[in-house]
Amino acid sequence: MAIDYRKQPAPSSSPTGPLNLEKVTERAPGLVNLYKTAAVSLAKHRVSGRRAAVYLVLDRSGSMRPYYRDGSVQHLAEQTLALAAHLDDDGVVPVVFFSTDIDGTAEISLDSYRDRINPLHESMGHMGRTNYHLAMQAVIDHYEASGASDPAFVVFQTDGAPTSKTAAEHVLCSAAKLPVFWQFVGFGDDEFRFLRKLDDLPAPGRRVVDNAGFFAAGHSPKAISDAELYDQLLHEFPDWLTAAGAAAILRD
């Protein structure tokens, strides 16, 4: 299933550029603390003011059921949206749900995010296996069709290795020539050997640049502080920006 929506342009009355604290306070007061915490991490990693189109990819394989039930996935969505309020300019994050196939697509926004993830998840029916490559390709297709000039920052959540490891590795390596950075987040007690392998694939040996990061959020993702979560999300992003710029991957 291809992503069949497009991010809508911001209203003409809205100034261009990242959203500010005043606008976040007005539109999404529940995200203010997350927005402030994200600002600290962005400054720490020297990417304050950087623009990027933010995507969120969510695993719906059967083993993910507890993390939807306990609110971990909803919380990650809110953390991602607050980060996007700094990086993007419209307060909208495209969301891809995947398992065996693309289970569904949606958006979260500053105006529509509260208690949104579980109803979407529950409307998508059977939870299947885990195929990263289909979700990754869906993001790539959407990003290329959007005509965005800013790079994409993809928060890709999963709780285990994919059914087709070869396909996932192929898409990641092929996508290294694109202005797309993949930040994988592991939920649960898996050792995540495959994701660690993806993170460490040699560049330029296997891919033009290192276009991915990974961290394990553990069995209780909500227990991780927001500050630590943002530091982990942004840990490898600055290095990718430098490498992608040097390789002429980033668009002017």
Side-chain angles (χ1 to χ4, degrees):
M1 177 190 295
I3 300 182
D4 58 0
Y5 61 87
R6 294 290 181 269
K7 292 182 72 174
Q8 297 299 312
S12 59
S13 59
S14 299
T16 59
L19 295 157
N20 57 32
L21 178 59
E22 181 181 358
K23 292 176 184 176
V24 173
T25 301
E26 178 184 350
R27 295 174 58 186
L31 295 181
V32 167
N33 287 339
L34 286 173
Y35 180 83
K36 291 179 178 179
T37 303
V40 173
S41 189
L42 286 161
K44 181 188 301 185
H45 293 278
R46 300 182 180 180
V47 287
S48 294
R50 182 73 214 194
R51 297 286 298 278
V54 179
Y55 289 81
L56 177 62
V57 180
L58 298 174
D59 187 347
R60 286 192 73 253
S61 58
S63 54
M64 275 295 300
R65 188 171 285 107
Y67 297 106
Y68 283 94
R69 287 177 176 169
D70 72 5
S72 294
V73 184
Q74 173 69 34
H75 187 52
L76 178 64
E78 293 175 6
Q79 292 168 318
T80 302
L81 181 59
L83 178 63
H86 288 280
L87 296 173
D88 213 334
D89 62 1
D90 61 0
V92 177
V93 174
V95 185
V96 179
F97 295 84
F98 78 99
S99 59
T100 306
D101 204 333
I102 306 301
D103 294 342
T105 60
E107 293 177 343
I108 55 173
S109 70
L110 296 181
D111 304 309
S112 180
Y113 72 90
R114 286 185 177 275
D115 302 319
R116 181 153 167 75
I117 295 299
N118 275 9
L120 289 167
H121 155 64
E122 291 165 2
S123 74
M124 293 173 189
H126 178 70
M127 300 173 75
R129 299 188 301 276
T130 311
N131 278 322
Y132 294 3
H133 65 287
L134 298 175
M136 295 172 73
Q137 191 60 55
V139 170
I140 292 168
D141 291 346
H142 178 273
Y143 175 72
E144 292 187 322
S146 74
S149 58
D150 297 316
F153 182 93
V154 185
V155 178
F156 192 111
Q157 180 278 321
T158 184
D159 72 338
T163 304
S164 177
K165 296 178 181 179
T166 301
E169 189 171 324
H170 173 73
V171 173
L172 182 71
C173 291
S174 297
K177 65 182 183 295
L178 301 174
V180 179
F181 180 77
W182 307 88
Q183 178 58 59
F184 294 95
V185 181
F187 279 17
D189 297 326
D190 192 274
E191 293 183 3
F192 296 109
R193 292 180 182 177
F194 178 72
L195 280 172
R196 296 182 195 280
K197 175 187 176 183
L198 285 188
D199 189 18
D200 294 334
L201 285 174
R206 293 292 312 280
R207 46 188 173 161
V208 179
V209 295
D210 181 349
N211 60 334
F214 166 72
F215 78 95
H219 183 70
S220 301
K222 287 196 299 181
I224 296 178
S225 72
D226 298 323
E228 181 180 355
L229 182 283
Y230 287 127
D231 281 346
Q232 293 282 5
L233 287 182
L234 295 169
H235 179 66
E236 296 190 45
F237 186 50
D239 290 340
W240 173 78
L241 287 170
T242 299
I249 291 170
L250 297 183
R251 299 170 184 173
D252 294 333

